Amino acid sequence: MFNVIIVDDEEFARSSLFFLLQENCENVHISGIAKSVDEARELLSLHEVDLIFLDIAMPGKNGFELIPDAKLHNTQVVFTTAYDQYALRAIKANALDYLLKPIDIDELKETVEKATKLIRMIDQESDRNERLKNLANNLADRSEIRKISLPNGQGYTLIDLNEIIHIEADSNYSIFHLDNRDKITVSKVLKDYEEILPEDQFIRIHKSSIVNLNYLKEYNSKNGLEVLLKNGEKIAVSRRRASIFAEKVKQYTNFASDK
């Protein structure tokens, strides 16, 4: 059995998740329910908690302020939230778990199963804590996502977005080309990263390519539209994306000149 606490300021959300867990997750024991970060801290001091279902937007202290306590108690976290585009991008960028409200039963079961597997893998706890710390940093000022977590087979590698030159699609995999000439292959499709990465810095120029505009050296239509990156690589721009690409470059150069 895994000990769980629910943290949410909304009574309906607390009771709904309680009953969903009771009815659908036999290996879960609900140790307590809190309606604030302060109440959650008290529960963590009283019980050995394996997993927290943590609401983000709460009055007083928001859910992210509980992260240091979760790290201190070696407790896994699943964020529960209504739709918030920036928060979801930041959570996805750090490969952390979340559930959208209203919570779907099948998604809840899948998330609990994944979380319980992670709870058994204590050796990866420091890695997850680093991702939680980066998430908290990203959301402190909600200005931009600066780092992304990439699974590496043993755990995760935390990459600064400015290290990424371009991302190449390879079937159901994505290959990250980095400025130190390293490559990291990830078992996710390009679209997953297209949704996460900042739109003012990264653009998908082809069905198989996303480029970091910071590394754009030139583009021309001599052999069909293509870009030349600062590392010497040439990448084709699809006709369908050519006009969007041209507009994005214009916006980017105007933005860069204003800095």
Side-chain angles (χ1 to χ4, degrees):
M1 294 291 288
F2 294 93
N3 294 324
V4 167
I5 64 172
I6 297 167
V7 185
D8 201 306
D9 66 302
E10 297 177 359
E11 183 177 356
F12 177 76
R14 294 193 300 271
S15 58
S16 295
L17 182 52
F18 176 88
F19 287 115
L20 285 174
L21 288 168
Q22 289 276 73
E23 293 295 320
N24 298 282
C25 303
E26 296 178 355
N27 61 337
V28 161
H29 171 257
I30 300 170
S31 300
I33 298 176
K35 59 179 180 288
S36 69
V37 168
D38 290 336
E39 287 186 11
R41 284 173 175 156
E42 187 174 348
L43 288 175
L44 286 171
S45 68
L46 294 173
H47 304 281
E48 187 173 317
V49 178
D50 299 303
L51 177 63
I52 304 170
F53 285 93
L54 180 59
D55 185 29
I56 296 173
M58 294 185 287
K61 299 181 178 75
N62 69 45
F64 297 114
E65 293 182 62
L66 192 64
I67 288 174
D69 303 86
K71 289 166 61 178
L72 183 64
H73 291 272
N74 289 327
T75 303
Q76 302 291 332
V77 176
V78 172
F79 296 98
T80 59
T81 179
Y83 185 73
D84 178 319
Q85 187 177 28
Y86 182 86
L88 287 184
R89 283 177 61 201
I91 291 168
K92 288 179 182 179
N94 289 284
L96 295 165
D97 295 317
Y98 69 93
L99 289 167
L100 279 180
K101 298 176 182 178
I103 293 172
D104 177 82
I105 294 174
D106 290 333
E107 289 179 1
L108 176 63
K109 288 179 177 177
E110 185 180 338
T111 299
V112 168
E113 184 178 349
K114 189 193 303 183
T116 52
K117 286 178 182 177
L118 284 171
I119 290 165
R120 296 187 183 102
M121 299 169 69
I122 303 300
D123 59 323
Q124 291 190 6
E125 192 60 44
S126 61
D127 168 86
R128 184 177 175 87
N129 284 345
E130 185 65 23
R131 288 182 282 140
L132 282 168
K133 179 181 176 183
N134 186 57
L135 173 64
N137 290 339
N138 280 340
L139 287 155
D141 57 13
R142 297 177 66 89
S143 59
E144 61 181 11
I145 294 169
R146 298 180 181 88
K147 293 186 178 182
I148 189 169
S149 296
L150 302 178
N152 58 24
Q154 307 299 320
Y156 290 81
T157 303
L158 205 60
I159 298 294
D160 191 298
L161 296 189
N162 290 325
E163 298 177 50
I164 303 168
I165 298 176
H166 70 100
I167 312 168
E168 171 191 1
D170 183 6
S171 186
N172 290 326
Y173 294 84
S174 296
I175 304 170
F176 283 73
H177 296 251
L178 306 179
D179 63 356
N180 63 359
R181 298 187 180 275
D182 281 353
K183 295 180 183 179
I184 298 178
T185 301
V186 179
S187 58
K188 285 189 175 183
V189 296
L190 213 57
K191 183 172 177 55
D192 290 335
Y193 293 105
E194 185 181 13
E195 293 173 353
I196 293 170
L197 295 168
E199 296 177 1
D200 61 343
Q201 183 178 352
F202 291 85
I203 180 169
R204 189 163 185 172
I205 61 171
H206 192 276
K207 66 179 181 180
S208 60
S209 299
I210 293 175
V211 298
N212 182 345
L213 291 173
N214 288 346
Y215 289 92
L216 180 64
K217 186 173 182 180
E218 63 180 59
Y219 63 100
N220 61 68
S221 55
K222 187 185 297 183
N223 300 309
L225 188 59
E226 66 178 13
V227 298
L228 174 64
L229 302 178
K230 289 178 182 178
N231 66 346
E233 290 190 66
K234 294 180 180 180
I235 302 176
V237 180
S238 70
R239 289 184 181 179
R240 187 167 66 88
R241 299 176 188 270
S243 60
I244 298 172
F245 168 71
E247 182 61 29
K248 185 60 67 72
V249 171
K250 182 180 177 182
Q251 292 173 3
Y252 174 76
T253 51
N254 288 341
F255 174 75
S257 64
D258 290 339
K259 285 187 175 181

